[in-house]
Amino acid sequence: MTTASKLNPSPIFPNAAAHLRSLAMTMAVMCYLAGLAVVSLLIVQHTARAWAEGLSHEATVQLQHLSNVDEEQELTKALALIKSTRGVISAAALDKSAGAKLLEPWLGKGVTDDLPIPRLIRIAIDEHNPPDFAQLEATLTAKVKGVSLDTHRRWQAQLSRMGTSLVFLASLILALITLASVILVSYTARGVIAANTAIIEVLELVGAEPRFISRQNDKQFFTTGLFAGVIGMFASLLTCAAVYYGGGFTDGSAMDLGAMFNFENFGERVIAGLALVPLLATLIAVWVSRLTLLQHLKKNS
Amino acid sequence: MIELENVGLAYGNGPDILQNVYLHIGRGDLRFLTGASGSGKSTLLRLLFLALQPHQGMARVLGKDVASHTPQSRARLRRKLGVVFQDFRLLDHLTIFENVELPLRAAGGEPGKHTNDVNDLLDWVGLKERARDFPNTLSGGEKQRVAIARAVVTKPELILADEPTGNVDPAMAKRLLRLFLELNRLGTTVLFATHDKHLIERSGGQVIHLMPGGRLSQ
């Protein structure tokens, strides 16, 4: 008896309450959805930033094909002007075949040979000290025929807006899941308290302080919240892995989505984000159930 | 130990269950509380173990006004009170040992730390061999002995017993009464509510009679 009591005292609130089993299952589903929402949020944030950063590092100059104009001469002139501009790190002209290759997915192979495809100059920009684009455009237009400058600012603004909207949506979903979990735990805690009313009464009679009773309650909800959180986290991790490995994200096809999302550097943040799910679930379960119990004790005192 | 001065008590807006109650019980006293069903015996005991508050008069238990407690101070005072009920109020999912140990755990003791005290008490009530069993395997008399052991494990100054012999046969009632008398001889104040006149006659304790309408006669 002595050893058994010391090593394994029975929990004062029995753990096997049906309410807690239902809560564990429902919270596991909530945590699974929360895990997916966290991953979506991180992907959207990461991708929007990566795209925006990529665009802000570069600008493109386009030279239209004009008859009676020496294209190579205009290209050299434009390159010289660009390279001499403050804030430009480097500038390189793409060869004709590179421009044709960009159009091939839409027009088909071989069709572009006879088309007047514009020549492109890719400009790398010093982010901290960017050039005066208005002045560069004015200089180029004055001195080079058929030239236009694309600073990507319009795309960048649209991407930024899209990114912000998606982050907002994912955050909203996460907040709704958290709210639903809080309501769920609150209802379950009331059920558990109702089921444990006789035990609570006995505890009060034998001189247990509210803090002691609440600690017994915390143990139940801690276990339930942690269990549900871990199950939900692993389920969402498995889903992400299945989508990543099974959805053609790794073979360079499908517009090279793997590279686009830059998953290689991204995994650690996803795992860190998912690790927050069981922590949050445990915190919600313990905190909300404790508040509910303390309210009950206060009402009855 | 217990001082009631002109106490009145009602549930909500209902009629008074206790009216103009005056009661003084000193340290080491043994008193029997009698009265017809519905006369307010259980209500009086609930007031004394701090589950109710009077709407009129002053009630002091162990020197402190029952209306002045915080949840924490109420819990601390209850550790100096032992309460025994007719329906035992044992926790069926805990062993007999754990049931008796419960007040010590509630007072912040580590489980298993007071093993000797608990075993001595189980020995005293004749249930040491059943320590590992669960309450649903015990008879009514055995359950009540466990409840008594639980009530006294914290060495209370005052024991409040609400019809503790109500669910047991006469032989067991006598045996339970002997336990209370023994506790009283050791200096514990006992207030014992019962209908059983034979039990009272056998004990020689003073009787407080609660009349219909919640008035006391001593």
Side-chain angles (χ1 to χ4, degrees), chain A residues 88-147:
Chain A
V88 171
I89 295 171
S90 66
L94 302 183
D95 61 25
K96 273 185 179 176
S97 61
K101 214 171 181 179
L102 285 173
L103 294 173
E104 269 179 13
W106 285 273
L107 302 177
K109 220 166 186 177
V111 181
T112 53
D113 293 347
D114 304 326
L115 291 174
I117 296 168
R119 298 296 303 273
L120 300 172
I121 298 171
R122 191 175 175 179
I123 307 171
I125 289 161
D126 180 356
E127 246 189 307
H128 306 292
N129 183 26
D132 181 343
F133 286 113
Q135 197 185 341
L136 176 62
E137 189 170 24
T139 310
L140 284 171
T141 314
K143 297 188 175 169
V144 182
K145 287 170 186 153
V147 76

Side-chain angles (χ1 to χ4, degrees), chain A residues 65-69:
Chain A
H65 180 82
L66 299 171
S67 50
N68 304 325
V69 172

